[in-house]
Amino acid sequence: MTTLNQLRKAALALPETEKGIRDGEVFFAVRGKRFASLTKDRSVRLVLAEAAAESAAAAHPTGERLLRGDAVIGFRVPLADIGGKDLNALARAASADRTPRRLVAELDAADAGDGAPDGDLPPGIGKPATRALLGAGLTTLSALTEHTGAELLALHGVGPKAVRILSEELERRGLALRG
């Protein structure tokens, strides 16, 4: 069973995502535009393009397309009826329409193992850590010097191994994390 915590992790791992609560509902937004929320009845509501909503509805029979007039604007499914991988993919698809194209491209590059086009993050830190750093706007090793290890560890996807590898690479270049 998928939980609110898993939804939170999936959404907050995406670039520029912020969490809020309004009228008893937890929501996630990029630049003030909501893309996912958890309703009071524990359903996940996602703002999706029509094709993605149709695909989600076909894959999740307990879900439903969301309509505004005749237009499909998203998808809703009970949180208990969707697996973590599917939720992650749907949250990412919902976020993509709200996120600046440059950040979406960097996230796609991180998934492909390429990192940021102008970045120098070592591939050994892993895809989750690379995505988290890119999502926080940290595309180069020199940008990391303005942050502490604890600040990096607070990013979802960055673990102790990634911080160790980054610290070692910074040290090789005569640099270090702050503090």
Side-chain angles (χ1 to χ4, degrees):
M1 180 166 96
T2 306
T3 65
L4 171 59
N5 193 42
Q6 288 168 309
L7 172 61
R8 183 182 301 115
K9 283 184 177 183
L12 293 177
L14 299 166
E16 295 192 10
T17 297
E18 50 206 33
K19 176 185 154 215
I21 299 175
R22 183 162 184 197
D23 298 328
E25 290 187 3
V26 176
F27 69 86
F28 301 92
V30 173
R31 297 186 177 186
K33 295 180 182 177
R34 292 183 192 192
F35 67 86
S37 62
L38 183 66
T39 65
K40 291 177 185 175
D41 68 352
R42 310 231 3 114
S43 289
V44 178
R45 188 173 42 221
L46 299 147
V47 177
L48 293 168
E50 184 173 358
E54 295 292 346
S55 177
H60 303 283
T62 60
E64 63 181 330
R65 296 172 308 136
L66 298 174
L67 303 172
R68 181 173 293 139
D70 291 335
V72 176
I73 60 166
F75 177 69
R76 175 184 167 129
V77 65
L79 183 60
D81 294 350
I82 187 166
K85 280 187 167 184
D86 287 345
L87 181 60
N88 289 351
L90 289 172
R92 182 167 174 172
S95 164
D97 287 338
R98 307 284 201 237
T99 304
R101 298 288 169 235
R102 174 187 59 80
L103 294 176
V104 172
E106 288 176 358
L107 193 58
D108 290 342
D111 282 343
D114 300 333
D118 58 346
D120 60 354
L121 299 175
I125 63 173
K127 289 182 182 180
T130 302
R131 278 193 300 270
L133 293 169
L134 294 176
L138 302 171
T139 61
T140 63
L141 286 168
S142 63
L144 298 178
T145 62
E146 298 175 19
H147 298 275
T148 66
E151 289 170 338
L152 297 179
L153 285 169
L155 297 172
H156 175 70
V158 179
K161 179 182 176 187
V163 172
R164 179 183 50 78
I165 291 170
L166 291 167
S167 295
E168 289 170 357
E169 186 61 31
L170 285 167
E171 187 176 326
R172 273 194 280 281
R173 296 176 186 214
L175 301 169
L177 294 173
R178 190 184 71 187

